[in-house]
Amino acid sequence: FSTINSETDIDTAINQLVFDGIIKDAEKEEIRIFTHQAFSKPEIKTWYDTSWSVINERDIIWMESGNIKNRRPDRVITKGDAAIVVDFKFGKKNKKYNRQIEEYAKLLKMIGYKNINGYLWYVSTNEIEHI
């Protein structure tokens, strides 16, 4: 999902996964259907709306107590002073993921974003959790 910038990129991204050997050609159609169905959810449509600026898998770097720290959210989209941070999870729910999103939101606030929303997307179950 991190290689998809908008809904129109789905098929290209899936074809690239097949080409790279990450998924088998036989799995391609099932994944394509699942992905297109996921994009019917309003939250997911927003995350891939081309009116937002997209930052995929980029480090947020800051200095804390004389040490350089970094974190890498899966997807951050921005528009003006608003930011949405999304992390994709493929396993079971875990409260540590909530803290991870809260930390990303705190860092985005330090950068200057004022209106920040965070989400966990449990892709396997297509469950979205607003943090």
Side-chain angles (χ1 to χ4, degrees):
F1 288 100
S2 62
T3 61
I4 300 171
N5 285 322
S6 72
E7 193 169 358
T8 59
D9 298 330
I10 293 172
D11 292 330
T12 303
I14 292 170
N15 289 336
Q16 187 64 47
L17 291 171
V18 171
F19 181 79
D20 292 342
I22 296 169
I23 63 171
K24 296 177 183 164
D25 195 49
E27 301 169 305
K28 183 170 124 175
E29 186 61 18
E30 181 183 344
I31 291 170
R32 188 187 70 72
I33 290 168
F34 173 83
T35 305
H36 279 285
Q37 286 174 342
F39 273 71
S40 68
K41 288 190 171 198
E43 297 95 338
I44 295 171
K45 275 201 171 303
T46 298
W47 303 339
Y48 290 89
D49 183 323
T50 58
S51 69
W52 291 76
S53 297
V54 178
I55 306 162
N56 282 333
E57 294 186 5
R58 295 244 185 96
D59 286 335
I60 300 172
I61 302 169
W62 76 101
M63 183 74 75
E64 185 178 293
S65 303
N67 297 312
I68 296 175
K69 304 255 183 173
N70 74 306
R71 295 289 179 269
R72 182 181 286 217
D74 290 336
R75 184 175 188 86
V76 176
I77 60 171
T78 63
K79 187 189 297 183
D81 69 352
I84 297 174
V85 61
V86 181
D87 239 35
F88 311 117
K89 300 299 180 193
F90 293 88
K92 295 180 181 180
K93 284 187 172 187
N94 190 321
K95 287 296 179 192
K96 74 178 181 182
Y97 300 144
N98 295 48
R99 289 187 299 277
Q100 186 180 24
I101 293 293
E102 289 166 356
E103 185 176 74
Y104 294 153
K106 180 181 168 186
L107 293 170
L108 290 169
K109 191 171 195 152
M110 286 172 42
I111 294 170
Y113 293 99
K114 292 176 178 43
N115 182 10
I116 303 162
N117 283 287
Y119 295 89
L120 290 167
W121 180 13
Y122 292 93
V123 178
S124 302
T125 59
N126 203 13
E127 230 179 307
I128 297 169
E129 189 174 338
H130 183 236
I131 308 299

